Amino acid sequence: MAKIIVLDTGREGDVFNESFIKDKAKELGILFGCEQGRCGTCRSTVIEGMENLHEKNDREINMGLEENERLICQCRIKLGVIKIRQF
């Protein structure tokens, strides 16, 4: 099992390795808008564990995110722990 820690809320939760993290992140307090990688509402900074996430997809690349930023609605975790903070 992998783990997500949302620093804004101080909450954390487990997710399956190789799974998308959107649903668990929503439970942990991350705010979402369109949930399709278009609006940027779920844009977050990965404080720790970027290496535990799969590569950015085209929607994230086209959004012009910084190296340590991700759209949580588009993220899939490999394994391990990630710590995130929402904008």
Side-chain angles (χ1 to χ4, degrees):
M1 292 290 273
K3 183 179 294 265
I4 303 168
I5 301 171
V6 178
L7 298 174
D8 305 274
T9 64
R11 298 173 67 194
E12 59 185 66
D14 294 326
V15 292
F16 290 109
N17 293 345
E18 300 297 330
S19 66
F20 285 93
I21 65 172
K22 176 179 71 172
D23 291 337
K24 181 56 73 174
K26 193 182 293 185
E27 288 177 28
L28 300 176
I30 294 292
L31 301 175
F32 290 87
C34 73
E35 299 185 27
Q36 298 172 357
R38 295 184 186 140
C39 71
T41 303
C42 65
R43 180 176 153 198
S44 298
T45 302
V46 179
I47 304 299
E48 187 177 306
M50 183 67 90
E51 69 278 4
N52 296 330
L53 294 171
H54 283 273
E55 299 285 323
K56 292 179 182 176
N57 65 22
D58 289 342
R59 289 182 179 159
E60 293 177 282
I61 292 168
N62 292 337
M63 185 75 61
L65 303 177
E66 297 292 327
E67 188 174 325
N68 65 338
E69 296 175 351
R70 297 297 301 263
L71 297 177
I72 299 303
C73 69
Q74 301 296 301
C75 286
R76 195 163 52 109
I77 195 165
K78 297 175 192 174
L79 52 88
V81 176
I82 60 166
K83 294 181 181 179
I84 57 176
R85 177 167 282 130
Q86 191 164 27
F87 273 77

